Amino acid sequence: MPQQVTRLAVVFGILILALVLARSQLVPKTFGQAGHYRAAAVTEIAAAKIHYAGHEACAACHEDIAKTRSAGRHRNVACEVCHGPAADHVAAPTDVHPSAPKQRGRCPQCHGYDSARPTGFPQIDPVTHNPVRPCISCHQPHAPETPREPEACGACHGSIARTHAVSAHALIGCTRCHETDRRHKTTPLLIRPSKPASRAFCAGCHARDAGSPKEIPRVDVTTHGERYVCWQCHYPHFPEAK
Amino acid sequence: MKDADSDSIEDRRTFLQKALPAPVALLSLLQGQDRKAESKEESEPAYNPAEHYYGMGIDPGLCIGCGRCAEACKAENDVPREPFYFRTWIERYVVQTSGETVVTSPDGGIAGFSPVAEADVLRTFFVPKLCNHCANAPCVQVCPVGATFITPDGVVLVDKDYCIGCRYCIQACPYGARFLHPVTLTAEKCTFCYHRLVKGLVPACVEVCPTQARIFGDLRQRRSPLHRFMRFNKIQVLKPHLNAEPKVFYANLDGEVK
C-alpha cells in the first residue's frame, strides 16, 4: 500500500475516533431513550415545585370551612383563589400563614360588572355598591349570601337590564314578560323564569285590535313577519323597527 | 420518511452541539456514564405516562374573565411578572354592530378589563387561551435540537437545559403560546402543569377557575370529565385548517375567535 494512503487512513481514523468520542460526550445521556429528546428533561420538569396545594388539601385541616364552602355559592371557588398559593402553608401550617383578602379590592375581580360576563353571573358596580365598607362585613366569604334578596334582576342580568333601560320597552318590567318565582334569585339554575312562548304574547299589546294604550305602535299580526316569532326579528330587550 | 427526517435533524443538532464551548465536554467526561440511572420510571414509580393522554376543554360561555387562571399560572410556574409573558391568558372579544371585532387582553387579563363601551355592541365574551398541546405540533417539528417534544401522555414540553434559544418554535406556533424567557433566554410555554399531573393534581388554572370554564381530563379515560364535556358540547379547535391537531377543545366557539 502506498505510504500516503496509510498516513491518510491514520489521520482519518483519528478524526473519526475523535468525532465518535466527541459525539458520545456531547449528546446527553438520556437523549433518544424515549424519543428525539432528552428523557431526563421530563423527570426534571415533573420535579418542579408545587405552589397550589389544591382545595382537597385544605379540607384535611380546615374541615369546618371546607364544609361551609361546599354548601354555599362559592362551592366552586377554590380556597387558594382568595388565599393565594398555600402549598408552603400545608407543609408547615404554623410557620407560613396564607393571607386573607379582607379588602374590597379582591372580590370585584370576579364580581365587578362587565357586559362580557355571561348573563346570570352576580355582578355589582364596586364604586356604587355599598361603598367603603369591606365586602366581608356583609357577605361571608366562604358561603356568601346576599343579606336580602336582590331587588333588581340587573344584579345578575346587568347587561340585559342596561340595554332594556334605554329601549322602547324600558317601562315594561322584566316580570311582565318573564314570570319569575322568587326562588330564581337564590337558586337561579334550578328555578327558571318563563319566557314568552308565542306571537300572541306580543300581539297582546301590538295587535291592531289590542286593548293597550293607543300610543303603542300597531302591526297586523296575521301578516306581519308571519312565519317567525316576533323576537326572531326584534330583540325584545331593545326592539327596533328600523 | 420519519427516519430520514430525524437523521437530518440529528446532524444539525450535532453541528450546533459542537459549536458549544468544549469545557462542557470535559466536564461530562469526568462524570459516570450510567444511562439507566436517569430513566424517568425510577423517580416517579407510581406514575405511568403511557396510561394517560391529556387534553383540556374550555367553555367560553362560562368564562367570567376574572383572570385568576393567568394569575395562578404565573405563581405556579414562576412565569416572569412583566405583562408580556404568559403561559395562559384571557382575551375579551367585542363584536360591534358595524361588524368590526375588537380583541383585547391587557396584561393577559390578570388585572381585569376596563368596561366595554356598551353602545353598538352586538355581542361580547371572554376566551381563555393557552398552548394547545398539538398532537402534530409545528413547534416540535421545527426545533433544530430536539429541545421541545411530545411526551407519551400528550404534553408538549420544553427542555430548558437543551434549548438553544433560536426562537424557531416561537415563530412556528400558530397560537402565540410561546415566549422567550427573559433570564434563561430559552423558550417557555404551558406544560399543563406537568409537575402537578404526575402527582394527580389538575393544572393550577383549572384548580382556580371559579366557574368550571376550564375542564381538564384524560382522553384515554371514559370516566374523565373531559369525555363528558366532549359528549355534550359542540366542539371546535382553534385554526383547525392547520392540521396541528390541537388538544385544547372549545365548546360552542364563536366564529370570530381565531
Side-chain angles (χ1 to χ4, degrees):
Chain A
M1 207 188 291
Q3 204 183 18
Q4 57 270 48
V5 175
T6 3
R7 283 198 185 147
L8 264 180
V10 169
V11 171
F12 272 108
I14 290 171
L15 277 179
I16 287 167
L17 201 73
L19 193 81
V20 169
L21 199 73
R23 198 178 175 283
S24 76
Q25 290 311 315
L26 289 171
V27 175
K29 280 175 213 155
T30 59
F31 201 95
Q33 271 182 8
H36 188 68
Y37 60 91
R38 205 167 59 92
V42 179
T43 330
E44 286 160 23
I45 291 169
K49 185 177 177 322
I50 284 184
H51 296 269
Y52 284 83
H55 59 277
E56 295 94 343
C58 317
C61 298
H62 298 289
E63 208 181 320
D64 47 339
I65 293 180
K67 219 160 136 196
T68 315
R69 189 193 63 130
S70 60
R73 295 285 294 276
H74 273 174
R75 71 185 81 85
N76 284 329
V77 187
C79 313
E80 287 161 300
V81 177
C82 297
H83 293 294
D88 289 343
H89 168 66
V90 171
T94 47
D95 300 343
V96 185
H97 287 179
S99 61
K102 300 184 184 174
Q103 271 64 46
R104 283 175 67 91
R106 192 67 72 86
C107 317
Q109 283 174 336
C110 291
H111 291 293
Y113 174 72
D114 187 323
S115 59
R117 294 194 159 148
T119 197
F121 188 79
Q123 295 164 54
I124 47 126
D125 178 351
V127 179
T128 56
H129 181 79
N130 302 301
V132 187
R133 291 176 58 190
C135 315
I136 56 172
S137 64
C138 298
H139 305 287
Q140 219 280 30
H142 299 131
E145 273 168 19
T146 49
R148 57 187 152 78
E149 181 176 287
E151 272 312 311
C153 309
C156 305
H157 300 292
S159 175
I160 293 178
R162 287 178 189 219
T163 311
H164 171 255
V166 294
S167 76
H169 278 168
L171 295 177
I172 309 172
C174 309
T175 46
R176 173 75 174 75
C177 300
H178 303 289
E179 254 176 71
T180 312
D181 190 302
R182 290 174 62 108
R183 288 171 298 165
H184 174 64
K185 295 184 181 173
T186 44
T187 49
L189 293 175
L190 292 178
I191 311 288
R192 290 180 177 256
S194 70
K195 289 192 282 191
S198 69
R199 292 164 55 89
F201 179 84
C202 309
C205 286
H206 288 292
R208 295 246 186 264
D209 54 354
S212 55
K214 60 177 183 319
E215 65 273 17
I216 294 181
R218 306 304 167 112
V219 290
D220 180 355
V221 289
T222 48
T223 55
H224 181 83
E226 21 108 35
R227 269 190 327 115
Y228 304 94
V229 286
C230 314
W231 47 93
Q232 274 173 291
C233 294
H234 304 289
Y235 183 51
H237 307 132
F238 195 91
E240 288 156 307
K242 295 192 290 241
Chain B
M1 163 71 192
K2 210 167 187 181
D3 282 301
D5 249 14
S6 56
D7 272 358
S8 67
I9 291 169
E10 192 112 339
D11 288 347
R12 269 179 280 152
R13 177 178 43 70
T14 332
F15 170 77
L16 284 160
Q17 281 293 316
K18 279 193 278 182
L20 287 175
V24 182
L26 278 176
L27 259 179
S28 54
L29 255 176
L30 301 173
Q31 293 163 353
Q33 268 265 44
D34 187 6
R35 278 165 177 264
K36 293 235 166 64
E38 284 191 43
S39 102
K40 62 186 163 197
E41 281 80 15
E42 229 124 318
S43 71
E44 209 58 64
Y47 182 79
N48 180 4
E51 286 169 6
H52 305 276
Y53 199 64
Y54 296 113
M56 190 183 284
I58 294 183
D59 188 344
L62 294 175
C63 179
I64 59 168
C66 62
R68 297 309 85 207
C69 48
E71 167 69 29
C73 176
K74 286 205 170 189
E76 181 68 26
N77 297 295
D78 302 314
V79 178
R81 299 304 309 193
E82 289 92 331
F84 21 84
Y85 303 113
F86 296 102
R87 288 180 174 200
T88 185
W89 67 98
I90 302 179
E91 293 172 356
R92 183 176 66 191
Y93 283 71
V94 179
V95 184
Q96 293 168 337
T97 38
S98 63
E100 201 193 333
T101 302
V102 184
V103 186
T104 48
S105 185
D107 197 356
I110 286 189
F113 293 78
S114 51
V116 182
E118 286 183 0
D120 303 322
V121 173
L122 192 56
R123 58 184 189 274
T124 162
F125 51 89
F126 294 105
V127 182
K129 294 226 174 138
L130 69 161
C131 165
N132 284 260
H133 293 276
C134 308
N136 187 14
C139 56
V140 173
Q141 287 162 23
V142 301
C143 180
V145 299
T148 187
F149 52 92
I150 306 179
T151 61
D153 33 6
V155 181
V156 179
L157 293 177
V158 181
D159 179 351
K160 74 172 187 317
D161 292 337
Y162 207 48
C163 171
I164 56 170
C166 71
R167 300 172 175 81
Y168 274 9
C169 56
I170 299 175
Q171 289 281 322
C173 176
Y175 305 106
R178 289 175 168 250
F179 62 92
L180 198 77
H181 192 286
V183 178
T184 63
L185 296 180
T186 54
E188 271 254 356
K189 62 177 280 297
C190 160
T191 61
F192 267 167
C193 284
Y194 198 73
H195 59 297
R196 298 175 65 86
L197 301 187
V198 296
K199 297 179 184 74
L201 296 167
V202 294
C205 57
V206 178
E207 166 71 20
V208 301
C209 179
T211 57
Q212 301 189 346
R214 290 176 185 252
I215 297 288
F216 191 75
D218 197 327
L219 293 163
R220 291 234 166 100
Q221 286 174 358
R222 290 293 179 88
R223 59 163 193 271
S224 156
L226 188 59
H227 209 81
R228 179 193 183 275
F229 182 83
M230 295 181 70
R231 185 192 297 274
F232 287 112
N233 291 296
K234 307 236 172 357
I235 297 294
Q236 170 74 289
V237 294
L238 298 177
K239 306 189 183 176
H241 58 283
L242 296 178
N243 267 343
E245 296 172 39
K247 292 202 300 297
V248 172
F249 305 99
Y250 287 85
N252 312 315
L253 194 68
D254 193 280
E256 290 294 327
V257 180
K258 294 281 145 46

